[in-house]
Amino acid sequence: MTDSAPPVSDLDLFDDEVLVDPYPSYAALRALGGVVRLPANDVYALTRYDVIRDALGDWEIFSSAGAIGFNPAVNEALSGTSLASDPPVHTRLRATLTANLSPRALRGLKKSIDAKADALVGELVAKGSFDAIDALARAFPLEVVADLIGFTGHVRANMLRWGQAAMQVIGPMNQRTAECFPIAGELYDWCSNVTADDLAPGSVGRGIFEAEARGDIPPGTAGHIIHQYLGAGVDTTIASIGNIVALFAAHPDQLALVRENPSLVPAAFNEVLRYWAPVHAWGRRTTRNVEIDGVLVPEGAKVAILFGAGNRDPRHYENPDEFLVERNPIDHLSFGYGPHGCAGQGLARLEAHAVVEALSRRVARLVVGTEVRVPSNITRSIEELPVLEVVPA
């Protein structure tokens, strides 16, 4: 094995300017190497497509156990979840999480999700102007997930702030994390005490408790699984739907391609995910010394996986900085890869495809105002996007 040290950069991954627009920084890091040491964050950042995909596929060397977050407190809090465990524990927990997210299970949801998206987009198009984030990107997935899991009352009302905080605290212990820990704690406390009776009859949430009662998952883990539906799935889907609107507004020619050829809907969403990854950085820890791109990463090193950097790697994608719906990058990294690939990606696709279909069917062009982004540790999303005018199809 080589004893070569990786290149070093003084970049802070969680600096405000980097978080708002990380792509220039990603390009600079990729130019240095497939793995770059970042002393400011005490991490080894993985920057190139092949390096990231290989690491995601190798859980034995790149462990998730107590390692996905960038501060010790969140890693401790996530202990016992499928997000922060490795096989065989991960395999058992994930099986229950994904039982209700399989293609067969989701087929039964498609009709209602399509109808909800079409009704909401139709209403917004008729209004002629609206905020794409509050009125669509947030409203739609929050309703879908609440109905699916069976959230009612104050839980339904707190889904947005809880989901945002749950992602924010995965970052380093900066001001954003410190401010969000009490809010994320509300979600954690509720999930630690939730019972089947707190969830709507016939919901997926009730089904998870039934699996626990059967012994399919360890006692006391149903709440952890429900935590993941809300903590890991909502904020990223909101980000992706906001990105759909922004990218179609900026690239009306690409929206026209989807309108002319509806079979491009899945390809368009894949390209949205590749072009603007909804997750900025995710953690792993090495279990032994490992050689990456000819340099040594030591055992016990904290690793930062930069999905967006890999998705724009010119070694893998031609013209990676162009948004092209016909590209259909089915191998993008935004849903991860390997045993920890996004468990909820089927549901996210259902939601996003429904929005893309509705927009492409009803809209010829979107005129938008200034896109507002705010720094966020983990989820890269748009905070405000005023749609000033809708030109109907």
Side-chain angles (χ1 to χ4, degrees):
M1 176 177 287
T2 182
D3 59 359
S4 299
V8 178
S9 169
D10 62 0
L11 178 79
D12 177 357
L13 276 180
F14 301 98
D15 175 79
D16 286 3
E17 291 187 12
V18 173
L19 292 173
V20 169
D21 181 13
Y23 288 95
S25 298
Y26 290 163
L29 292 176
R30 275 196 313 268
L32 289 174
V35 56
V36 181
R37 178 88 173 94
L38 303 179
N41 309 115
D42 192 23
V43 300
Y44 291 78
L46 305 189
T47 70
R48 296 178 182 172
Y49 182 94
D50 288 344
V51 167
I52 293 172
R53 189 174 168 107
D54 288 349
L56 291 171
D58 191 347
W59 63 267
E60 292 179 299
I61 295 177
F62 296 91
S63 173
S64 296
I68 66 165
F70 295 89
N71 70 81
V74 76
N75 284 324
E76 182 179 350
L78 290 171
S79 177
T81 67
S82 67
L83 277 176
S85 60
D86 293 322
V89 174
H90 168 266
T91 307
R92 189 179 181 192
L93 292 172
R94 184 181 170 100
T96 303
L97 177 65
T98 57
N100 300 290
L101 297 172
S102 67
R104 176 180 293 181
L106 291 173
R107 273 196 294 272
L109 297 174
K110 185 178 188 308
K111 185 175 181 180
S112 65
I113 288 176
D114 286 348
K116 286 179 181 178
D118 188 62
L120 179 56
V121 171
E123 176 186 323
L124 295 174
V125 167
K127 288 176 64 176
S129 64
F130 55 92
D131 185 83
I133 307 306
D134 276 342
L136 177 57
R138 290 174 179 153
F140 181 57
L142 287 172
E143 179 182 356
V144 169
V145 172
D147 290 347
L148 180 69
I149 309 303
F151 294 138
T152 60
H154 85 285
V155 179
R156 202 174 182 113
N158 279 288
M159 284 176 64
L160 178 62
R161 60 191 290 272
W162 283 359
Q164 289 176 332
M167 293 299 285
Q168 195 80 271
V169 298
I170 293 172
M173 191 55 79
N174 54 22
Q175 183 177 349
R176 284 181 288 271
T177 298
E179 290 175 349
C180 285
F181 250 117
I183 303 170
E186 294 174 24
L187 171 61
Y188 183 83
D189 289 343
W190 182 82
C191 289
S192 297
N193 295 288
V194 64
T195 68
D197 292 340
D198 295 320
L199 303 166
S203 65
V204 164
R206 281 275 185 104
I208 294 169
F209 276 96
E210 291 165 5
E212 184 180 278
R214 290 192 304 267
D216 293 346
I217 56 173
T221 55
H224 288 312
I225 293 171
I226 290 169
H227 181 281
Q228 285 183 235
Y229 274 101
L230 179 50
V234 170
D235 203 34
T236 50
T237 304
I238 289 170
S240 298
I241 293 176
N243 289 343
I244 288 168
V245 179
L247 287 169
F248 277 160
H251 303 275
D253 58 321
Q254 300 302 301
L255 175 60
L257 288 173
V258 182
R259 187 169 60 254
E260 293 160 10
N261 181 6
S263 70
L264 284 174
V265 166
F269 184 49
N270 283 332
E271 180 68 346
V272 168
L273 290 168
R274 183 202 68 83
Y275 190 80
W276 277 344
V279 173
H280 171 52
W282 206 251
R284 292 287 193 273
R285 191 171 300 281
T286 55
T287 59
R288 63 172 176 81
N289 291 349
V290 59
E291 182 181 327
I292 304 176
D293 262 13
V295 300
L296 176 67
V297 176
E299 177 182 351
K302 183 67 177 180
V303 171
I305 295 172
L306 305 182
F307 301 101
N311 281 341
R312 296 279 191 102
D313 187 350
R315 296 159 191 79
H316 190 77
Y317 294 112
E318 186 177 353
N319 302 320
D321 295 325
E322 293 185 31
F323 176 70
L324 304 168
V325 298
E326 292 177 317
R327 186 196 304 271
N328 194 19
I330 58 174
D331 59 350
H332 67 78
L333 298 167
S334 292
F335 282 141
Y337 176 72
H340 279 280
C342 176
Q345 63 181 280
L347 179 61
R349 288 185 193 280
L350 269 188
E351 296 173 76
H353 291 178
V355 170
V356 173
E357 287 171 3
L359 285 172
S360 62
R361 186 169 55 251
R362 292 178 176 275
V363 175
R365 188 164 57 90
L366 293 164
V367 179
V368 299
T370 302
E371 172 187 299
V372 177
R373 291 184 183 267
V374 297
S376 182
N377 287 333
I378 300 297
T379 309
R380 183 172 182 266
S381 59
I382 301 169
E383 184 70 16
E384 297 175 17
L385 182 65
V387 175
L388 305 177
E389 180 186 355
V390 179
V391 178

